[in-house]
Amino acid sequence: MTERPLTPEAGEAIAAIATPVGVGALAIVRMSGRGVLEIADRVFRKKGGTAFSFKEAEGFSAHFGTLSDSRGMVDEVIALVFRAPSSFTMEDMVEFTCHGGPVVVRHLLQALLDSGCRLAEPGEFTRRAFLSGRIDLLQAEAIGEMIHARTESAFRTAVTQMQGNLSRHLQEMRAGLLQSCALLELELDFSEDDVEFQSRDALRLEVGRLQGEILRLVESYREGHLLTEGVATVIAGRPNAGKSTLLNALLGHERAIVSHMPGTTRDYIEECFIHEKTMFRLTDTAGLRESDEAVEHEGIKRSYRKISEADLMLYMIDSSSGDFLKEAAAARELRQRHPESGMIVVANKTDLASDAGGRIAQLQSETACPVIAMAASKGDGLNELKSTMAGMVEGLDKLHEASVLVTSLRHYEALRNAADSLDNALQLISAREPAELIAFELRSALDYVGEITGKVVSEELLNTIFDQFCIGK
Ligand code: GDP
């Protein structure tokens, strides 16, 4: 772990296509780093024959001209110039807007590579924006989340994070921790004099207050992650209950293989669908039943793991079957085993059941869960099920309005660790242990919080984060 340098040198010149591959009206190829102005001069001629050099061009100026490689003109382009430090990466940058054909774009990129750029790695522009201090790690991640957001609320949350609300909050906490830590470390210099620069009572109050704030953030993850990852929803139940049919109906297309043979969903299938503003991540599990077959057994083991991670369970029961009440007991038991996840009982095959109404009432009283009557193969009851699912996570679409919210597992884990370190510190303070032990725990909490914004980072962590970006971002 190292504190990152405040003003790194501009990196070597990199180039990449910044727009999606394919045919479009326009496309953008961008460059950043040392010497990009000279490289641009080599490939670009301004229209009108006037003498022009990018080295003299002002930042935020646009220039119309032709771009050529060794074989001649590639395209007419607009060149947009950004001068360091007023650019995304804080380095000199030039962006060329050209016609959006895949071959044009490839030729343009090749011309830049032939003139001295190297191809950028995934997320390298954003990585440079982070390393130069233009944005912190949280904001860099927020850019990635914004690009990949599939719902309005995930998008709004990412925008808030990009604006730096959570970053500021964490910085304030870090400043508080740093202050207490500095005072404790000062005591070490006066160890023979037995002084306390901050009384232990005052220290306990301050550390307790900071821990409380961290725990509030930790708590916000419980719902926050649903915004970005979707509500993990598991369809469980016995083989042949109609789980794959339901999955297809919810997704609106044939994804799972529906079959008459019990136990054909060997593994789990995961796909997302959006209902109104909420994203659900759906998993169809292998049928829950004892099995001798090795493959199926493995599937069942994974099913149970998926169920234990679920935010919402849809327990499917064949309501036309003779032992539907036995299934109700199984649903109730599963619910008791995972009290933290919500459960909806789906009473399927009502088209085959005699006295469907009576059976549903029985299921309701046996399971104490919402029960939806359904005929999955006909799509009956589907809308009611979707509304009930949305109702179970009501308020989620308003969650982004909270000013600070933790939505990423990485941030959640760092905060949990920070809270644990502060817990240790509080115990040491109560036991009147020496200042250096307390200071050690406060330092480790500081490092954990610093990991989130990137104040303290390892190369490995940066690679993990930026590898998820596309080339050109
Ligand atoms: P899974 O093993 O739980 O995934 O069950 P499937 O989705 O493969 O369904 C098993 C069988 O039940 C298939 O033949 C489906 O067509 C049929 N099925 C599913 N839902 C219904 C329903 O609501 N009514 C009727 N009559 N048949 C259904």
Side-chain angles (χ1 to χ4, degrees), residues 235-248 256-265 284-287 316 318 320 347-352 374-380:
I235 308 178
R238 286 177 60 88
N240 250 2
K243 299 182 297 300
S244 307
T245 312
L246 175 64
L247 181 86
N248 286 333
I257 305 152
V258 181
S259 114
H260 295 273
M261 289 282 294
T264 44
T265 313
D284 175 24
T285 59
M316 241 181 152
D318 178 349
S320 69
N348 196 31
K349 306 198 188 182
T350 46
D351 55 323
L352 300 181
M374 182 142 215
S377 54
K378 297 182 178 154
D380 293 352

Side-chain angles (χ1 to χ4, degrees), residues 3 126 192 252 292 328-329 403:
E3 291 256 344
T126 315
E192 280 150 31
D292 298 331
S403 62

Side-chain angles (χ1 to χ4, degrees), residues 81-143:
V81 185
F82 303 86
R83 299 298 298 249
S86 302
S87 78
F88 179 55
T89 56
M90 293 185 83
E91 302 171 339
D92 284 332
M93 287 184 78
V94 181
E95 283 182 8
F96 294 106
T97 305
C98 62
H99 293 106
V103 182
V104 181
V105 175
R106 215 170 49 233
H107 277 299
L108 203 161
L109 176 65
Q110 193 58 51
L112 301 182
L113 300 180
D114 292 345
S115 305
C117 281
R118 77 158 162 78
L119 186 63
E121 293 181 13
E124 195 167 1
F125 290 90
T126 315
R127 186 183 186 125
R128 288 189 181 188
F130 162 70
L131 289 173
S132 64
R134 161 105 165 52
I135 53 174
D136 69 21
L137 205 50
L138 263 176
Q139 291 169 311
E141 286 171 298
I143 293 174

Side-chain angles (χ1 to χ4, degrees), residues 86-372:
S86 302
S87 78
F88 179 55
T89 56
M90 293 185 83
E91 302 171 339
D92 284 332
M93 287 184 78
V94 181
E95 283 182 8
F96 294 106
T97 305
C98 62
H99 293 106
V103 182
V104 181
V105 175
R106 215 170 49 233
H107 277 299
L108 203 161
L109 176 65
Q110 193 58 51
L112 301 182
L113 300 180
D114 292 345
S115 305
C117 281
R118 77 158 162 78
L119 186 63
E121 293 181 13
E124 195 167 1
F125 290 90
T126 315
R127 186 183 186 125
R128 288 189 181 188
F130 162 70
L131 289 173
S132 64
R134 161 105 165 52
I135 53 174
D136 69 21
L137 205 50
L138 263 176
Q139 291 169 311
E141 286 171 298
I143 293 174
E145 278 182 16
M146 191 185 88
I147 295 172
H148 292 116
R150 291 173 61 176
T151 61
E152 184 67 20
S153 15
F155 167 71
R156 292 272 156 229
T157 310
V159 170
T160 311
Q161 189 169 314
M162 215 163 70
Q163 287 169 332
N165 286 16
L166 182 55
S167 306
R168 275 190 295 278
H169 195 67
L170 293 174
Q171 259 151 25
E172 278 162 25
M173 286 198 292
R174 245 187 139 246
L177 276 171
L178 211 53
Q179 165 82 358
S180 295
C181 209
L183 291 173
L184 275 173
E185 284 167 354
L186 204 60
E187 284 178 19
L188 302 178
D189 295 338
F190 293 85
S191 53
E192 280 150 31
D193 304 334
D194 203 17
V195 285
E196 283 181 3
F197 290 100
Q198 183 179 30
S199 80
R200 289 296 184 265
D201 283 343
L203 181 65
R204 188 184 313 114
L205 275 178
E206 175 66 358
V207 173
R209 182 184 72 79
L210 291 167
Q211 192 198 30
E213 288 201 23
I214 290 178
L215 288 174
R216 256 194 302 285
L217 286 177
V218 166
E219 184 61 19
S220 78
Y221 177 74
R222 210 158 50 97
E223 289 184 312
H225 81 282
L226 302 181
L227 284 182
T228 44
E229 289 167 21
V231 181
T233 309
V234 159
I235 308 178
R238 286 177 60 88
N240 250 2
K243 299 182 297 300
S244 307
T245 312
L246 175 64
L247 181 86
N248 286 333
L250 284 171
L251 295 175
H253 60 95
E254 291 287 316
R255 171 64 174 80
I257 305 152
V258 181
S259 114
H260 295 273
M261 289 282 294
T264 44
T265 313
R266 296 294 172 101
D267 207 338
Y268 62 85
I269 293 166
E270 195 171 270
E271 275 208 50
C272 294
F273 79 96
I274 295 168
H275 177 66
E276 288 168 1
K277 290 181 182 159
T278 310
M279 180 161 81
F280 293 91
R281 197 155 37 86
L282 264 182
T283 310
D284 175 24
T285 59
L288 294 175
R289 58 168 201 156
E290 299 306 319
S291 166
D292 298 331
E293 253 192 88
V295 182
E296 199 171 294
H297 202 75
E298 182 56 29
I300 290 170
K301 235 168 54 192
R302 286 197 209 175
S303 300
Y304 277 113
R305 197 165 60 231
K306 277 278 152 195
I307 287 170
S308 70
E309 293 164 359
D311 303 307
L312 180 60
M313 290 183 276
L314 305 181
Y315 197 94
M316 241 181 152
I317 296 176
D318 178 349
S319 65
S320 69
S321 144
D323 57 2
F324 74 102
L325 279 180
K326 231 168 93 189
E327 276 300 280
R332 197 178 54 225
E333 196 197 312
L334 196 62
R335 173 92 182 87
Q336 281 161 355
R337 238 186 299 153
H338 303 287
E340 65 293 342
S341 10
M343 182 183 272
I344 300 172
V345 170
V346 182
N348 196 31
K349 306 198 188 182
T350 46
D351 55 323
L352 300 181
S354 55
D355 185 25
R359 289 183 171 216
I360 283 158
Q362 274 180 292
L363 284 173
Q364 226 139 19
S365 73
E366 283 296 310
T367 60
C369 284
V371 179
I372 307 294

